[in-house]
Amino acid sequence: MARILIIDDDSMLCSMLSRWIQRLGHEVDSAHTRETGLAATWANSYDVVYLDVNLPDGNGLDILPRIHEIPSRPEVIIITGSGKADGAELAIKSGAWDYIGKSFSRQEMTLPLVRALQYREERRTVRSRVFDRRGITGVSPSLERCLEAAAQAANSDASVLITGETGTGKELLATAIHENSARKHGNFVVVDCAALPDSLVESILFGHVKGAFTGADKDREGLVLQAHNGTLFLDEVGELPVHLQKAFLRVLQEHRIRPIGGQQEFSSDFRLIVATNRDLDKMAAEGQFRQDLLFRLRVLSVEVPPLRDRKEDIKTLAVEHMNKLCEDYGVATKGFSPDFFAALDSYDWPGNVRELLHILDSVFAVAGDDPVLFSKHLPMGLRVKMIRNSIQSETIDPPEFPQTNELPRMKAVRDTAIAEAEKRYLQELVAATKGDIQEACRIADLSASRLYELLKRYDIPRGFVKA
């Protein structure tokens, strides 16, 4: 028996749908607003939530992300009386199980429920198996969804397309899929498609025989053949040369390779995993990537979330990496001040986990014997970026004015707010650059004369040594 929640302000529909669900043997509750529905999802462990789009207190799609954060992770079926393609696309991209129109047909309203519950049961089976994370750290909902998809991929032999921004850990995830699969005792062969030289790409992948071309002084086994009984991982597959894509599609279909200059074909029973940070659909539409190859690559898809969407993992990642550095270098474990983590949380991390780990390496070197890490240990350039971000994103409260019947002019309010922001920025700039006028001018993109003029205007002690 499953637990179902209906969030809809149409009491007649709620009553009718509740009866149908109860006949299927499940328990069902109803809520008639977004807020009461969201409160109910947090208070109870529901398996599936029917969610209306148009609710008295707002759009139901807006609370989808919050429902996905609930520990029970219910599947969400969007129901609407006025279905629109844009709404359906947004719902599916936001993680909804299905998007259906309201109907008086029991089958149309309950079939998505049956399928969603079947999916959850299969997912529980996969979850019950131990999935070795292989160093993947974090407990955020977005990462957990990624690892669930990876666990399902590990239980299959189908091709997997891993997408995600640079630095999110796509190769680490590919390794985890391989190590949790039936092929874990075979080779895990990594091919960086972005680094393949055009003149040697076919030879590297498919191999060659002696004398096939100038410099081929001996037979060479290609990487595809080395992946026999294991996994072939093509990193940055979007960089695979167009002229080679047709040949690779044939290899993927037949799992047979003929080395350059050779007459004999060899079989290679490999499992393919590919990764990219590019939009392959757009590339295919523009003729830069074969559509038929893309279909074969994307049998299963796993998306790795960027670090900005899993900020609750930053502290764990930082502590774990810093402890490892301390252990590797034989020094005492370091402590962390609250302002250190506050600084990390304030940054968007465009370079993702890779950037975070590089920053922590720098912090470790700068800190030396310091037992506790503070935000001042972070690289100066990063600290200034964080300060700029916080100033740009910060909502500046308007200055208080005497209670009169006449409000001040807009220009006066704007000028005051800009002045306060400029003064805070300059104060942080002086502190961060520690007296280096050239560095301060470079970061602020100001001439030295303009910088001195601003410091004088806001009565900020320079603390600089003139160049």
Side-chain angles (χ1 to χ4, degrees):
M1 182 177 69
R3 294 197 69 182
I4 317 299
L5 175 66
I6 305 169
I7 306 177
D8 197 307
D9 61 331
D10 187 335
S11 58
M12 184 178 296
L13 176 74
C14 287
S15 177
M16 179 180 65
L17 185 54
S18 294
R19 288 197 304 271
W20 290 342
I21 293 172
Q22 287 169 347
R23 288 175 187 172
L24 293 172
H26 305 305
E27 184 180 340
V28 58
D29 297 322
S30 297
H32 304 302
T33 66
R34 287 194 323 175
E35 292 307 312
T36 56
L38 192 60
T41 56
W42 279 96
N44 303 282
S45 296
Y46 291 107
D47 296 286
V48 176
V49 174
Y50 280 90
L51 177 62
D52 188 17
V53 174
N54 298 312
L55 291 164
D57 53 346
N59 191 317
L61 294 178
D62 293 341
I63 64 171
L64 255 178
R66 297 168 69 183
I67 293 177
H68 289 317
E69 294 173 359
I70 295 167
S72 64
R73 305 272 301 282
E75 308 304 327
V76 180
I77 300 172
I78 301 297
I79 50 177
T80 178
S82 56
K84 295 181 180 179
D86 290 344
E89 181 179 356
L90 176 61
I92 298 304
K93 286 185 176 180
S94 299
W97 170 261
D98 206 348
Y99 184 94
I100 62 176
K102 294 181 180 180
S103 169
F104 290 103
S105 166
R106 181 170 62 181
Q107 182 176 11
E108 289 180 15
M109 294 294 287
T110 59
L111 184 58
L113 170 64
V114 173
R115 290 173 174 166
L117 292 175
Q118 181 183 2
Y119 166 75
R120 285 177 72 82
E121 183 58 35
E122 291 176 354
R123 195 172 65 178
R124 284 192 189 99
T125 303
V126 173
R127 253 197 223 141
S128 65
R129 304 187 187 101
V130 176
F131 184 79
D132 186 349
R133 289 178 170 230
R134 297 313 240 175
I136 301 173
T137 299
V139 294
S140 61
S142 58
L143 181 63
E144 289 296 325
R145 287 195 293 273
C146 170
L147 292 175
E148 281 185 7
Q152 292 173 332
N155 194 43
S156 167
D157 215 26
S159 299
V160 183
L161 172 62
I162 302 176
T163 57
E165 298 176 6
T166 299
T168 51
K170 296 186 291 294
E171 183 174 343
L172 190 61
L173 188 69
T175 304
I177 292 173
H178 169 75
E179 293 294 340
N180 284 275
S181 74
R183 295 176 176 268
K184 63 182 179 181
H185 299 297
N187 291 332
F188 180 72
V189 180
V190 179
V191 181
D192 184 355
C193 296
L196 291 174
D198 287 343
S199 59
L200 297 175
V201 60
E202 290 187 69
S203 170
I204 292 172
L205 287 176
F206 308 140
H208 62 253
V209 298
K210 181 179 179 179
F213 50 84
T214 303
D217 54 355
K218 61 181 179 180
D219 292 352
R220 173 172 178 167
E221 184 180 64
L223 296 179
V224 174
L225 199 57
Q226 291 178 23
H228 179 60
N229 290 331
T231 300
L232 179 68
F233 174 55
L234 300 186
D235 196 13
E236 303 300 343
V237 69
E239 307 300 328
L240 193 67
V242 177
H243 71 271
L244 188 65
Q245 292 175 17
K246 183 177 181 180
F248 188 77
L249 176 61
R250 176 181 175 274
V251 170
L252 184 57
Q253 291 171 333
E254 301 178 7
H255 282 255
R256 295 185 65 81
I257 306 99
R258 178 180 295 167
I260 298 174
Q263 300 298 319
Q264 183 180 357
E265 285 192 338
F266 299 90
S267 295
S268 179
D269 177 19
F270 63 91
R271 193 267 180 90
L272 181 67
I273 302 177
V274 302
T276 184
N277 62 359
R278 302 187 66 181
D279 186 342
L280 295 186
D281 286 306
K282 182 179 179 181
M283 292 180 64
E286 295 173 350
Q288 300 174 23
F289 201 88
R290 290 183 65 98
Q291 187 74 61
D292 49 1
L293 177 58
L294 178 55
F295 288 148
R296 294 302 300 263
L297 299 182
R298 191 166 50 195
V299 179
L300 297 173
S301 297
V302 182
E303 183 176 1
V304 186
L307 188 56
R308 63 179 173 275
D309 289 346
R310 44 178 294 221
K311 284 200 170 183
E312 53 267 69
D313 293 335
I314 290 178
K315 182 175 181 179
T316 305
L317 284 163
V319 172
E320 183 179 284
H321 189 68
M322 191 58 64
N323 287 346
K324 183 178 183 302
L325 289 173
C326 292
E327 181 180 350
D328 291 344
Y329 286 90
V331 299
T333 302
K334 295 186 181 297
F336 299 85
S337 69
D339 79 311
F340 183 83
F341 290 123
L344 297 185
D345 287 341
S346 70
Y347 188 53
D348 278 343
W349 299 105
N352 294 293
V353 177
R354 182 183 299 160
E355 182 183 11
L356 173 62
L357 300 185
H358 288 169
I359 290 297
L360 292 171
D361 290 342
S362 172
V363 167
F364 180 80
V366 169
D369 295 331
D370 293 351
V372 178
L373 300 178
F374 294 86
S375 61
K376 72 174 184 178
H377 290 112
L378 292 166
M380 181 173 57
L382 182 67
R383 291 172 61 198
V384 173
K385 286 180 182 177
M386 292 174 176
I387 293 166
R388 276 184 158 173
N389 288 345
S390 66
I391 292 174
Q392 291 171 359
S393 62
E394 193 176 78
T395 300
I396 302 173
D397 294 330
E400 294 184 4
F401 295 93
Q403 295 293 324
T404 67
N405 293 329
E406 183 179 306
L407 289 171
R409 293 179 180 275
M410 175 62 77
K411 185 177 185 302
V413 177
R414 183 174 62 247
D415 290 348
T416 302
I418 291 173
E420 289 180 357
E422 284 186 344
K423 183 175 182 179
R424 282 199 302 272
Y425 174 73
L426 292 168
Q427 287 171 335
E428 295 287 356
L429 183 67
V430 170
T433 52
K434 299 178 182 177
D436 188 335
I437 182 65
Q438 292 181 338
E439 180 65 9
C441 290
R442 184 191 68 78
I443 292 172
D445 195 22
L446 296 171
S447 66
S449 60
R450 176 59 177 163
L451 180 57
Y452 283 127
E453 177 189 338
L454 290 170
L455 294 174
K456 182 178 179 180
R457 175 189 301 175
Y458 294 115
D459 195 26
I460 298 173
R462 289 200 294 250
F464 286 116
V465 178
K466 289 188 177 181

